[in-house]
Structures are given as structure tokens and as C-alpha cells.
Amino acid sequence: MFQIICPTCSNKNLFETTEQKPVECSFCFTSFTDSIKIEEIAEDKKLIGLRLIYQQNSESVLINNCNCILGRENIGSQLLSNIRINGNQVISRKHCSINLIDGKYYIKDEGSLNGTFYGVSKIDCSKENHIIENNSLIFLGKEAFLVQFQYEDTKKESVDQQSTDTPKETPKPKKYRCKEGCGFESESYMDICPKCMSNNSMVAIYEN
Amino acid sequence: MVFNICGFTHKGTGIYTSNEDNMLINDTQLNEGEFLLFNQPSCVCFISDGVGGSKAGDFASAFVLSKIKELTTEQLNDLNNILYKVNDNLLEVSLNDENKRGCACTLSGLIAFDDFFDFTHIGDSEIWLLRNDMFIKISKDEVADEDNVLSPITNYFGGTKNNLKINTAWEKPELFANDVFLLCSDGLFKSLNVKLVKPILSSTKSLQEKVLKLKENCLTLGSDDNVTAIIIEIISNE
């Protein structure tokens, strides 16, 4: 669904496809020029779960809309039981819980040995639920996981007339690399490098 | 001269159970609905708005327009004097009928035939002109305080005593081809902002579509007052 907001009367002129773009406002008959801004209306996105992406090897755990406990003998056991440092498993059997409350996800430590932390400042999640935001980092012990919300529909961005007339293909980066020299690479962009904790240090790499 | 004329009148969406507005488009007087005329050699268009708060405003507006409708071309040349007589008739009726005592109405209109044209404006109905993308109000509201929408009107037909004073001194524009005149009761601009009306009149839509759009928008946004509008397009002034 698209819309043109009339510059004269602010009426929202809705239409299904760009081919159906109206030439005038349905309310006041103001003519729309070719350069008039067309906005795509983001439809209501339904949150269907979240994915925790382990930043060392990009393997992930998918969590659907339910309350669950993460741990090497619980949800995500296949991934979490293989995370070892010096041969020792660092994720507890019952490490933390992820709870869905009023449509929002929260994380809470479940008495794990190495602790559960949220974000760069490593908020201790042992005492109470901490809300989880999209694209944030959580730490099970020292291991970083990127949170990505899973939606039923992908997000739609607004487009203007010019871009719809002459679509430009933006090449997709092969990976992102921390420019601070720590050597960290990831398939997805992150605001904060989980290895050296530098802000906005990830740069797109288009070729191997 | 050649005119295309189209108008509507509606009781609105407010508390009014009846329409106290009346409109006259050449020989047709309406209290509800739309009316369209193409390629008319003459134009005798009037709007009359029954004064709110007075009894039988609908009667007053219908009475005045019915008297104008009966006039011959010669009489229209001397309209102002006749309007004073119409006012006397209305006062007489209202004094003799308890149910109509104090009834009153406004009157705004345009008369054009052969080489003669004139505007009439009494009260707070409005006359607008769209010319060369300029949309200007050429009538002046005859009210005690123009800044107060609830201010009582000072010049009207009827009432309890003779209040009518036809002002002939106001500046009336000449008619040119492609001019568009809008006659409307005050209800129109209570519902619609000026900037919402101008693009409708300026559009390339048909006259009927413009009128229906004005009506639709008034009713969509809500019109507490009765609302009436006549659009007059001057196709040729030859």
C-alpha cells in the first residue's frame, strides 16, 4: 500500500501499486506533480520470534513466541553445548530464560555459573527481567549473541517517485569487518564490535 | 454571454432538521439537491440563507427567492427597488402570522443578461471570484463583528422592523471569460477552509464534479450549518 499526502489539504491518498498513482488529490483535486513524494506504508509487522546469532561462528538459535529456558541441556543445546573455552563448557545447563510479556521479549539469568548480561555495559540479568531490543547483544558468560527479531513481513522502506522510476540495485556486502584491527568479521552488520567493543566500527566488505 | 451553472443545497450534518437555505438558478428554485445548467445566455443566480435564531428562516429565504424568480428582465434591471418592496412584503407577512414573526434571511447573487450585469449582496452569504489563479472574496460580510463567527448580521430581509439597506457602493468586478464565481451560504466556509475550495474550483474536472466534490467534502468533514453553493463559469462574455 502506498500513499501521497496532499500538500494542500494533507489528505492521505492511498493506492495499491505505483502504477495506480493518482494524478490528483481525491479530496481537493490538487494536481500531483511527477516529483510528488510517494510513501510506502509499512504494514503491521507481526513479531513471530527472535534469533540469537552466536558471534564467533554465526550459528544461531531460533526462539519462537514462547517462554523458554536457554542452556546446554535446554533450548539451543546443540549450539550452546559446543561452546567451550580451554575445553570447558561455559554455558550452564539452565543458563537464562527468555520470556514473552505483552508482546515484548525479556531476558533473565537463571542462576548460571558465568552469568547473563545485556548490551555493551553488560547489565546483570540475574535479578530481574531485562527487555530485549532488536539488534542488541546479549552475553552468556563472555560469549556474545546478536538478537534479531523475526517478523512475518519484512520491513518496507518509503520510496520516492524517482527511485521507483529508476531502481538502483545496491550490492549486498559479503561480510562486515571491524576496522579497529581486532580482526572480527560478521555476516551481519553490528553497531558494536563484540570483540573489541568499538562503536560503529564495522565496515562492509564487498569482495573476498 | 454564455454561462455554465451548477449548485447544490443541503441541510448539513448538524442539528438542523430542515434546510433554511434556498437557491435560485435561473428559473429553478431549490431547497434540497443539485441543479446543473449548460450554455445559458443569461444568469440569474441567488442564494438566500434563513437567519438562524429567527422563526421560519426557511420560509423567508424561499419567499424572497420566489419573488425574484417571478421578475421579468425589465424588472431585474431595477432589482434594488424591487428588493425593498419584497422586504416590505416579507415584513407584512411576518407581522400578520404568529408562526413567521421575525423571520429573516440573507441574499447574495449575480444577474447577467445581454450587456447588463450586477451583483446583490445582503447579509453574510458570500460571493467569491476565481480569476487567473486568484481566489478572492468580493462580498463583505454585513455583521457586527467580522472576527466573531457568532456575531449577528446587521443587514437582512425581514426581521421585526425594516433593517434592509442595499449597499450599492461596494466594488463589483467586471465579468471576463474563464471567470468562475462562487456563491455560497456561510455554511460552506464553516466546513471547508478556503485552501480546500480553491483547488477544487481550479481543477479541470467538470462543473458537476466540482459541485459534488464541494458537497461531499462538506458532509465528510461535517457541516453544522445548512450549506449551499453555486458555481458559475463564464464561458464567453461576448
Side-chain angles (χ1 to χ4, degrees):
Chain A
M1 185 69 81
F2 296 86
Q3 70 176 9
I4 294 176
I5 298 175
C6 176
T8 303
C9 69
S10 303
N11 180 42
K12 290 178 180 174
N13 296 270
L14 302 174
F15 50 103
E16 294 283 344
T17 64
T18 50
E19 286 76 29
Q20 295 170 339
K21 177 198 160 194
V23 294
E24 64 194 7
C25 174
S26 64
F27 191 83
C28 71
F29 290 159
T30 294
S31 296
F32 295 147
T33 58
D34 289 341
S35 59
I36 192 96
K37 186 180 180 186
I38 299 175
E39 294 176 4
E40 186 167 359
I41 303 169
E43 292 171 13
D44 288 342
K45 297 177 293 182
K46 189 180 175 187
L47 188 61
I48 57 170
L50 60 83
R51 186 179 291 277
L52 297 179
I53 304 169
Y54 183 40
Q55 295 299 290
Q56 291 298 328
N57 61 11
S58 296
E59 286 185 35
S60 63
V61 179
L62 179 63
I63 297 163
N64 292 321
N65 275 345
C66 58
N67 299 336
C68 66
I69 292 177
L70 286 174
R72 68 173 197 263
E73 291 183 2
N74 283 280
I75 301 291
S77 59
Q78 197 174 353
L79 166 65
L80 301 178
S81 61
N82 289 328
I83 299 175
R84 294 169 186 263
I85 295 177
N86 298 329
N88 300 319
Q89 291 177 314
V90 294
I91 308 296
S92 299
R93 292 185 178 86
K94 188 178 170 184
H95 198 105
C96 65
S97 60
I98 291 182
N99 304 302
L100 182 63
I101 303 169
D102 295 333
K104 292 176 180 173
Y105 284 102
Y106 293 82
I107 187 168
K108 186 174 183 300
D109 186 72
E110 292 292 335
S112 64
L113 181 65
N114 294 316
T116 305
F117 306 92
Y118 179 83
V120 178
S121 52
K122 292 194 175 182
I123 296 166
D124 189 344
C125 301
S126 61
K127 292 172 184 169
E128 57 186 24
N129 276 318
H130 192 282
I131 193 166
I132 302 174
E133 293 180 353
N134 195 18
N135 295 319
S136 58
L137 281 174
I138 63 173
F139 295 83
L140 306 184
K142 292 181 179 177
E143 307 307 307
F145 293 80
L146 177 70
V147 178
Q148 282 191 343
F149 286 178
Q150 304 293 301
Y151 295 103
E152 207 165 56
D153 298 312
T154 54
K155 190 183 176 189
K156 295 169 180 175
E157 300 291 340
S158 68
V159 292
D160 60 26
Q161 180 63 33
Q162 232 175 2
S163 67
T164 55
D165 285 341
T166 54
K168 292 175 183 174
E169 282 189 15
T170 306
K172 189 181 174 185
K174 287 193 180 298
K175 56 187 173 185
Y176 296 88
R177 182 181 294 151
C178 179
K179 66 181 180 185
E180 297 301 325
C182 72
F184 180 76
E185 291 182 352
S186 168
E187 287 184 357
S188 55
Y189 178 79
M190 283 175 280
D191 290 330
I192 299 152
C193 172
K195 191 169 181 182
C196 68
M197 294 300 170
S198 300
N199 271 323
N200 299 317
S201 64
M202 304 298 286
V203 292
I205 308 294
Y206 292 96
E207 295 174 4
N208 287 325
Chain B
M1 288 184 274
V2 182
F3 304 89
N4 288 343
I5 309 164
C6 189
F8 80 91
T9 181
H10 194 281
K11 68 183 174 68
T13 57
I15 57 169
Y16 287 94
T17 54
S18 65
N19 187 2
E20 297 193 344
D21 287 0
N22 271 273
M23 69 176 184
L24 177 67
I25 297 178
N26 286 359
D27 294 328
T28 302
Q29 184 179 340
L30 276 182
N31 179 247
E32 197 71 47
E34 302 99 32
F35 192 69
L36 173 67
L37 287 176
F38 279 122
N39 296 324
Q40 296 297 297
S42 64
C43 172
V44 180
C45 291
F46 284 91
I47 278 174
S48 183
D49 180 359
V51 174
S54 73
K55 284 182 184 175
D58 51 348
F59 166 79
S61 60
F63 180 88
V64 170
L65 292 191
S66 66
K67 295 295 181 187
I68 296 172
K69 184 181 164 186
E70 293 167 1
L71 300 179
T72 62
T73 306
E74 289 74 29
Q75 289 172 316
L76 286 172
N77 274 302
D78 187 28
L79 182 65
N80 288 350
N81 286 331
I82 291 173
L83 290 180
Y84 282 117
K85 289 175 188 169
V86 170
N87 187 44
D88 291 340
N89 291 342
L90 183 62
L91 284 169
E92 191 180 333
V93 171
S94 74
L95 287 173
N96 294 329
D97 187 336
E98 176 68 26
N99 293 324
K100 297 183 177 66
R101 190 150 299 162
C103 68
C105 67
T106 70
L107 183 72
S108 291
L110 167 62
I111 307 170
F113 50 85
D114 300 331
D115 292 331
F116 175 82
F117 75 89
D118 197 9
F119 293 90
T120 299
H121 176 64
I122 295 148
D124 65 351
S125 295
E126 301 177 20
I127 306 174
W128 290 74
L129 167 62
L130 177 70
R131 177 183 290 169
N132 296 335
D133 202 39
M134 281 188 6
F135 189 49
I136 50 172
K137 185 177 175 180
I138 59 174
S139 62
K140 189 173 185 297
D141 292 348
E142 295 174 319
V143 295
D145 180 4
E146 280 192 73
D147 295 329
N148 183 357
V149 290
L150 298 175
S151 179
I153 62 172
T154 53
N155 193 16
Y156 48 85
F157 282 88
T160 52
K161 59 179 183 177
N162 192 341
N163 279 305
L164 183 65
K165 186 180 178 185
I166 299 174
N167 181 7
T168 56
W170 60 288
E171 195 174 332
K172 302 168 187 177
E174 283 190 50
L175 307 189
F176 292 105
N178 302 321
D179 279 353
V180 177
F181 286 92
L182 171 70
L183 308 180
C184 61
S185 60
D186 58 345
L188 184 78
F189 287 102
K190 285 178 185 171
S191 299
L192 300 179
N193 190 300
V194 172
K195 74 173 191 174
L196 298 184
V197 173
K198 185 189 170 189
I200 295 175
L201 296 190
S202 307
S203 75
T204 54
K205 296 280 184 183
S206 72
L207 185 55
Q208 192 176 17
E209 283 178 294
K210 293 175 186 176
V211 166
L212 290 177
K213 178 52 77 175
L214 284 180
K215 179 183 174 182
E216 180 190 324
N217 288 358
C218 281
L219 301 183
T220 302
L221 294 181
S223 175
D224 290 339
D225 200 354
N226 305 145
V227 57
T228 302
I230 300 175
I231 301 176
I232 302 162
E233 290 180 347
I234 300 179
I235 306 304
S236 161
N237 65 340
E238 301 271 313

